[in-house]
Amino acid sequence: MAFAGLKKQINKANQYVTEKMGAAEGTKLDEDFCEMEKRTDITYELVEELQLKTKEFLQPNPNARAKMAAVKSISKLSGQAKAATYPQPEGVLGEAMVTFGRKLGDDNQFAEALIEMGESMKQIADVKYSLDDNVKQNFLEPLHHLQSKDLKEVMVSGKGQ
């Protein structure tokens, strides 16, 4: 049994050397096989990326949020333009789905489902951005104004009496 394995390895080495020396033509792979190999590589990348982005979607990184908040505060203090907003996990996941769905091709039902789901996730992210802006503008800013202006005036006038 061990001799058969050794013989097979010697034959492989012999084939390799003759191919490299130019005496024999190398084994050609079928075009369908190459296409399938390419799709398998893309699917592997897709699964890896989807796992990462889905975990991020389910459990957003609080350190990233803190960093974005710090950058935004610093840019406000220095008078620079509006800093980039925190990327919504739904949007990040949706973008990955759309990207890999397009890489897989149009003739693939899995790819079509990924693209459709990815677009839906991106729409959810847009709605969340809109909600964030709405809450900041219509709730937090009036509260801040109340605290920093109106309540201070009342407190100052109350202490003066």
Side-chain angles (χ1 to χ4, degrees):
M1 189 102 144
F3 180 70
L6 179 64
K7 185 176 178 183
K8 184 175 181 178
Q9 293 301 321
I10 290 173
N11 285 337
K12 281 184 178 180
N14 184 28
Q15 179 183 0
Y16 177 77
V17 170
T18 54
E19 285 176 7
K20 289 298 178 185
M21 299 297 283
E25 188 175 327
T27 305
K28 297 289 182 194
L29 297 176
D30 186 21
E31 190 174 310
D32 290 338
F33 178 79
C34 292
E35 180 65 26
M36 189 178 260
E37 186 178 39
K38 178 183 167 192
R39 284 180 184 240
T40 302
D41 290 343
I42 291 171
T43 304
Y44 181 82
E45 283 181 57
L46 160 76
V47 169
E48 193 172 296
E49 189 77 8
L50 279 181
Q51 285 180 352
L52 178 73
K53 301 298 183 193
T54 303
K55 287 176 186 174
E56 185 178 314
F57 164 70
L58 294 173
Q59 187 68 45
N61 185 351
N63 293 333
R65 279 191 187 270
K67 181 179 177 184
M68 291 293 286
V71 167
K72 190 172 184 179
S73 297
I74 291 171
S75 66
K76 272 187 180 179
L77 290 175
S78 64
Q80 294 177 351
K82 190 176 178 183
T85 57
Y86 179 79
Q88 295 291 346
E90 294 86 355
V92 174
L93 177 59
E95 191 59 44
M97 288 176 162
V98 169
T99 299
F100 282 101
R102 289 195 176 122
K103 280 185 179 182
L104 284 173
D106 295 332
D107 61 335
N108 188 325
Q109 288 181 343
F110 182 56
E112 290 174 15
L114 275 173
I115 292 170
E116 191 171 325
M117 183 64 186
E119 292 295 340
S120 298
M121 294 298 281
K122 288 167 55 176
Q123 288 176 356
I124 291 171
D126 290 343
V127 169
K128 284 183 76 177
Y129 281 128
S130 176
L131 175 66
D132 286 353
D133 291 342
N134 195 348
V135 167
K136 286 176 190 170
Q137 182 179 13
N138 297 322
F139 182 70
L140 291 177
E141 286 179 11
L143 280 179
H144 178 71
H145 181 75
L146 175 69
Q147 180 187 30
S148 63
K149 303 268 193 271
D150 299 340
L151 290 177
K152 277 189 179 180
E153 287 178 18
V154 170
M155 289 172 68
V156 167
S157 65
K159 288 182 182 180
Q161 293 177 0

